[in-house]
C-alpha cells in the first residue's frame, strides 16, 4: 500500500501534539469519525489558540475589574455596576434552548462560533465607543446594552464550541484543550493583575480603558479567524421545526434522562465555586483597611489559579470528569468553611489583607476544576445532536438558577457575609455528594 507523504509542518505538529498529551498512542481516536482522526493535531491546536484569544479578551474586558472601573470613571449609577456579572453570565445561558435549535440545523457548526466571536468583538468595540462618548446614566445604559449583545453572542459560542470539540478532538483529549488554553489565559491575567497592583488601574483615564476594550475586540476577531481554519466534517442536522416548540420539548430531558438530570442538579449546586468569590472580596473589605491594595492581588490570584491548575484539571478530567467535579466541589466548600473558621477563631490573622487573596486563590483553583469537570462531563455524556441538547438545556437551567442564587447576596442585609459563605459552602458539599452519584463515563 502506498504510504502518504508527511510534510515537515505536519510532522512537527504531530510531535508537538504527542508531547503535549504525553502519551505514546497520541492518535487514539475515541468518539470521533475516521476523517476527523486524521487531522486531530491541527484541530487540537487551533482550538487551543482560538480559546486563548477569547479568554485573553475576557481578561481585558472583565466585568469585575475593567468594566466596573469604566462605569465608575463615567460616573454611572451603581445599579449598572451591580448588573454587570448577572447580565454577562445569565444572558449567555438563558436563550440557549432557542440557540440550540438554530445550531442543530447546521451541518458544519464552526461558523456559528465564528459569528459569535464577531458579534462579541462588535459589542466590546461598542463599549469602547460608549466610554469615549457618554457619561452618567447614558453610559451605564450603553455599556449594559452592549453587554447584552455580548452575552447572547457568548451563548452561540458556548453551544457550538462544545459540539465542534466533540466532533474534532478524541474523548480522552478534550479536557486538555480547555486546560492549556486556560493556562495561557491565566498567565496573561496575572499580567493584568500586576498592572493593577502597580497602579495602572488607579490613575488611568477613560481613554486608556477605551483602547483596552478596542484591543479586546481585536482579540475576538483573531479568535474568529483561527477558529474558521478548523477542519470540521459535516455532522447530523434536523429540519426546520419550530424553535420554541423544540426548546420546550427538550426541557423534557430533565424528566426522562436521569443521568442528565443528576448532572444538571450537581452543576447547579456547584455554582458555589463561582458565587463565593465576590463574598471573599466583600469579607476582605469588611475585615481589613487595605482593600485597594488587595484588588490587584485578587486578580493575580485568579490568573495564577488558572495558570497553575488548569493543565492538572484538564488531564484529570480526561481520566474522570466525574471525580473532578467531586473533588473540586468539595474543595470549594472547604475553602469557604476554613475562611470563616479563621475569621472567628483567629481574629488577629483575619485583619491581614494578604489572607483573603490566598483563600481566593484556593477557591479559584477549585472553581477551575469545577468548570473543567462539568464542561468535559457534558461533552462526554452524549454524542451527535444529543450533545447540543444537553449543553443547551443545562445552560438554560443554570442561567435561571444563577439569577435566583444571585439573590443570595440580598441575605447580607440580615446575616453576616460569613453566614452567606457558609450557605454557599453547604451547596458545594451537596454538589460534591451528588456528583459522586453520577455515572462514571470511563476513558
Amino acid at each position: 500500500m502506498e504510504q502518504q507523504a508527511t510534510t515537515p509542518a505536519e510532522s512537527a505538529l504531530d510531535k508537538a501534539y504527542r508531547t503535549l498529551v504525553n502519551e505514546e498512542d497520541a492518535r487514539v481516536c475515541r468518539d470521533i469519525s475516521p476523517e476527523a482522526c486524521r487531522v486531530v493535531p491541527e484541530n487540537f491546536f487551533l482550538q487551543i489558540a482560538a480559546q486563548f484569544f477569547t479568554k485573553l479578551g475576557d481578561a481585558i474586558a472583565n466585568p469585575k475589574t475593567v468594566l466596573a472601573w469604566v462605569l465608575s470613571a463615567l460616573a454611572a449609577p451603581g445599579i449598572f455596576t451591580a448588573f454587570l456579572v448577572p447580565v454577562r453570565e445569565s444572558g449567555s445561558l438563558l436563550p440557549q434552548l432557542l440557540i440550540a435549535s438554530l445550531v442543530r440545523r447546521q451541518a458544519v457548526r464552526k461558523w456559528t462560533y465564528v459569528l459569535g466571536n464577531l458579534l462579541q468583538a462588535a459589542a466590546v468595540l461598542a463599549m469602547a465607543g460608549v466610554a469615549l462618548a457618554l457619561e452618567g446614566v447614558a453610559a451605564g445604559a450603553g455599556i449594559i446594552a452592549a453587554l447584552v449583545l455580548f452575552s447572547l453572542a457568548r451563548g452561540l459560542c458556548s453551544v457550538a464550541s462544545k459540539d465542534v470539540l466533540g466532533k474534532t478532538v478524541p474523548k480522552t483529549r478534550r479536557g486538555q484543550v480547555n486546560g492549556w488554553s486556560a493556562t495561557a489565559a491565566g498567565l496573561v491575567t496575572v499580567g493584568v493583575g500586576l498592572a493593577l497592583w502597580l497602579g495602572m488601574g488607579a490613575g488611568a483615564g477613560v481613554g486608556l480603558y477605551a483602547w483596552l476594550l478596542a484591543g479586546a475586540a481585536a482579540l475576538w476577531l483573531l479568535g474568529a479567524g483561527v477558529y474558521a481554519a478548523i477542519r470540521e466534517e459535516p455532522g447530523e442536522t434536523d429540519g426546520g421545526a419550530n424553535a420554541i416548540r423544540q426548546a420546550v420539548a427538550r426541557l423534557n430531558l430533565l424528566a426522562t434522562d436521569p443521568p442528565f438530570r443528576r448532572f444538571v442538579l450537581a452543576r447547579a449546586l456547584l455554582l458555589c465555586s463561582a458565587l463565593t468569590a465576590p463574598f471573599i472580596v466583600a469579607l476582605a473589605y469588611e475585615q481589613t483597611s487595605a482593600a485597594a491594595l488587595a484588588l490587584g492581588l485578587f486578580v493575580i490570584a485568579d490568573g495564577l489559579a488558572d495558570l497553575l491548575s488548569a493543565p492538572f484539571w484538564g488531564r484529570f478530567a480526561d481520566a474522570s470528569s466525574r471525580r473532578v467535579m467531586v473533588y473540586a466541589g468539595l474543595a470549594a466548600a472547604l475553602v469557604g468553611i476554613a475562611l470563616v473558621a479563621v475569621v472567628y477563631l483567629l481574629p488577629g490573622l483575619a485583619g491581614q489583607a494578604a489572607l483573603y487573596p490566598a483563600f481566593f486563590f484556593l477557591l479559584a483553583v477549585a472553581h477551575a476544576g469545577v468548570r473543567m469537570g462539568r464542561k468535559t462531563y457534558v461533552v462526554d455524556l452524549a454524542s451527535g445532536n444529543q450533545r447540543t441538547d444537553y449543553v443547551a438545556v443545562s445552560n438554560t437551567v443554570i442561567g435561571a438558577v444563577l439569577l435566583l442564587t444571585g439573590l443570595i447576596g440580598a441575605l447580607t442585609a440580615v446575616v453576616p457575609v460569613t453566614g452567606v459563605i457558609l450557605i454557599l459552602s453547604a451547596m458545594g458539599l451537596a454538589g460534591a455528594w451528588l456528583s459522586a452519584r453520577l455515572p462514571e463515563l470511563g476513558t
Side-chain angles (χ1 to χ4, degrees):
M1 181 182 294
E2 184 179 354
Q3 192 170 13
Q4 187 175 359
T6 303
T7 67
E10 289 171 338
S11 177
L13 203 62
D14 284 345
K15 289 178 181 177
Y17 174 69
R18 194 181 303 276
T19 300
L20 206 58
V21 300
N22 195 29
E23 288 184 23
E24 285 298 319
D25 190 11
R27 279 301 186 92
V28 170
C29 289
R30 296 199 56 186
D31 202 30
I32 63 172
S33 69
E35 294 79 11
C37 183
R38 286 193 283 269
V39 290
V40 165
E42 178 183 340
N43 285 334
F44 181 84
F45 285 110
L46 284 172
Q47 287 179 80
I48 287 177
Q51 288 191 29
F52 165 73
F53 285 127
T54 58
K55 288 176 187 295
L56 177 52
D58 277 328
I60 294 175
N62 193 325
K64 297 177 183 177
T65 54
V66 174
L67 293 186
W69 293 340
V70 168
L71 287 181
S72 297
L74 297 174
I79 186 65
F80 293 107
T81 302
F83 270 107
L84 285 173
V85 174
V87 166
R88 182 179 181 269
E89 298 302 325
S90 297
S92 66
L93 297 175
L94 285 170
Q96 286 199 11
L97 277 173
L98 298 178
I99 290 171
S101 295
L102 301 176
V103 173
R104 285 169 62 101
R105 300 174 192 173
Q106 311 302 317
V108 176
R109 294 169 183 176
K110 68 178 183 178
W111 300 117
T112 302
Y113 184 97
V114 170
L115 174 62
N117 267 20
L118 294 176
L119 291 173
Q120 287 177 92
V124 176
L125 196 59
M127 294 177 195
V130 168
L132 292 174
L134 300 176
E135 291 183 349
V137 173
I143 294 289
I144 292 297
L147 192 59
V148 169
L149 172 61
F150 177 88
S151 188
L152 293 173
R154 284 186 79 216
L156 286 173
C157 292
S158 177
V159 172
S161 65
K162 291 180 179 64
D163 199 53
V164 173
L165 179 65
K167 290 169 65 179
T168 59
V169 176
K171 192 170 186 178
T172 56
R173 307 290 185 267
R174 295 164 184 165
Q176 293 181 61
V177 171
N178 292 322
W180 286 110
S181 60
T183 299
L187 180 62
V188 175
T189 304
V190 171
V192 173
L194 285 171
L196 292 173
W197 191 33
L198 295 174
M200 186 191 81
V206 171
L208 177 59
Y209 287 115
W211 279 110
L212 282 174
L213 292 172
L219 290 169
W220 269 288
L221 292 177
L222 287 171
V226 170
Y227 209 84
I230 290 172
R231 295 164 69 178
E232 177 193 357
E233 295 294 321
E236 302 173 37
T237 62
D238 56 13
N242 181 274
I244 295 178
R245 190 182 308 120
Q246 284 191 342
V248 173
R250 287 191 189 103
L251 284 173
N252 193 46
L253 282 171
L254 295 171
T256 61
D257 192 330
F260 176 63
R261 180 173 64 248
R262 286 196 294 271
F263 165 76
V264 173
L265 289 172
R267 182 183 171 187
L269 291 167
L270 292 178
L271 284 173
C272 75
S273 67
L275 295 172
T276 302
F279 291 103
I280 291 182
V281 177
L283 193 60
Y285 273 59
E286 180 183 283
Q287 297 287 328
T288 76
S289 57
L293 172 65
L295 177 60
L297 294 176
F298 280 119
V299 177
I300 292 170
D302 197 25
L304 279 175
D306 268 343
L307 178 64
L308 299 177
S309 70
F312 165 76
W313 287 127
R315 291 184 186 280
F316 194 178
D318 282 335
S320 174
S321 52
R322 178 190 67 88
R323 284 192 290 148
V324 169
M325 293 172 65
V326 174
Y327 296 153
L330 181 62
L334 293 178
V335 167
I337 294 169
L339 178 57
V340 172
V342 168
V343 169
Y344 284 105
L345 300 178
L346 300 170
L349 185 57
Q352 301 299 313
L355 172 73
Y356 301 93
F359 274 90
F360 190 92
F361 168 78
L362 295 174
L363 179 69
V365 168
H367 177 61
V370 168
R371 191 171 64 242
M372 198 75 65
R374 57 95 173 163
K375 283 184 177 182
T376 306
Y377 193 90
V378 75
V379 171
D380 290 346
L381 186 62
S383 59
N385 274 339
Q386 190 183 38
R387 181 180 293 120
T388 308
D389 290 343
Y390 277 8
V391 171
V393 172
S394 63
N395 282 350
T396 300
V397 172
I398 295 302
V401 172
L402 264 172
L403 290 178
L404 294 174
T405 53
L407 297 176
I408 291 176
L411 292 175
T412 54
V414 292
V415 300
V417 172
T418 50
V420 175
I421 291 175
L422 287 177
I423 291 171
L424 293 170
S425 295
M427 282 178 54
L429 292 175
W433 178 83
L434 192 56
S435 297
R437 281 147 184 79
L438 291 172
E440 182 63 73
L441 301 180
T443 58

